[in-house]
Amino acid sequence: SQTIHQWPATLVQPVGSPLSLECTVEGTSNPNLYWYRQAAGRGLQLLFYSIGIDQISSEVPQNLSASRPQDRQFILSSKKLLLSDSGFYLCAWSATGTSEAFFGQGTRLTVV
Amino acid sequence: KNQVEQSPQSLIILEGKNCTLQCNYTVSPFSNLRWYKQDTGRGPVSLTIMTFSENTKSNGRYTATLDADTKQSSLHITASQLSDSASYICVVSRYGNKLVFGAGTILRVKS
């Protein structure tokens, strides 16, 4: 069966520090991968979308970047965190040709 | 532009009452529409899927409707329970498999 792993679950980082959140999918190949952010009390905001290795679309301009070095690995990064980067980050995958997205458990990021 | 808009943004109801959440979309070409439930601090989980030819689909106390002509969907929750408190997200799939997410409706059920 397919599983998605996202870590860490919680993270507290100082302003100006770098960020690296990792997401891996098991049990499937060539998944579509997504990074979302959810600010407190707000809805999901799509950050990045990837249909394959090194094929990444950015949905909104921001202080973040994404990479997909392997088929089932998706990494969200920042060189210098801002206070406004605080939020709940979700990784998700969907199989090519299907429409259901499966989400990781999320990372609660607090920038202080 | 491909968009999904949900209303209301948030909703508070008493336990046992019914409620209806709305989703309007401009996504094209349309493949299907899903409603997700997201408990606080967790990832969303799919509740129902609606294809172009389906008008109504039920999953327990949840009933989803779809009007493909007006590009509107609703999620009706009957006899609400405290455990229904969550964020409900409407997601529309385009052919080519890109998903377009609504911002969600935050539902709080009070006793």
Side-chain angles (χ1 to χ4, degrees), chain A residues 3-111:
Chain A
T3 56
I4 179 169
H5 301 281
Q6 183 183 342
W7 68 93
T10 60
L11 190 60
V12 180
Q13 292 283 95
V15 170
S17 64
L19 172 73
S20 180
L21 302 181
E22 189 163 344
C23 173
T24 60
V25 180
E26 297 178 357
T28 188
S29 59
N30 196 31
N32 296 324
L33 296 171
Y34 309 81
W35 275 112
Y36 289 89
R37 177 169 59 199
Q38 189 173 40
R42 305 293 296 276
L44 289 175
Q45 179 187 38
L46 179 62
L47 301 176
F48 298 97
Y49 166 67
S50 173
I51 62 172
I53 293 175
D54 294 330
Q55 299 180 69
I56 298 168
S57 299
S58 175
E59 293 294 312
V60 293
Q62 60 220 322
N63 183 41
L64 302 168
S65 62
S67 61
R68 186 171 177 174
Q70 300 178 40
D71 180 47
R72 291 170 290 175
Q73 183 185 30
F74 206 22
I75 298 171
L76 183 68
S77 304
S78 174
K79 292 182 179 179
K80 290 185 177 181
L81 283 169
L82 305 172
L83 288 174
S84 58
D85 291 324
S86 294
F88 189 57
Y89 289 83
L90 283 162
C91 179
W93 76 273
S94 64
T96 302
T98 68
S99 62
E100 183 170 8
F102 299 91
F103 288 82
Q105 289 303 299
T107 296
R108 174 75 58 193
L109 172 66
T110 304
V111 182

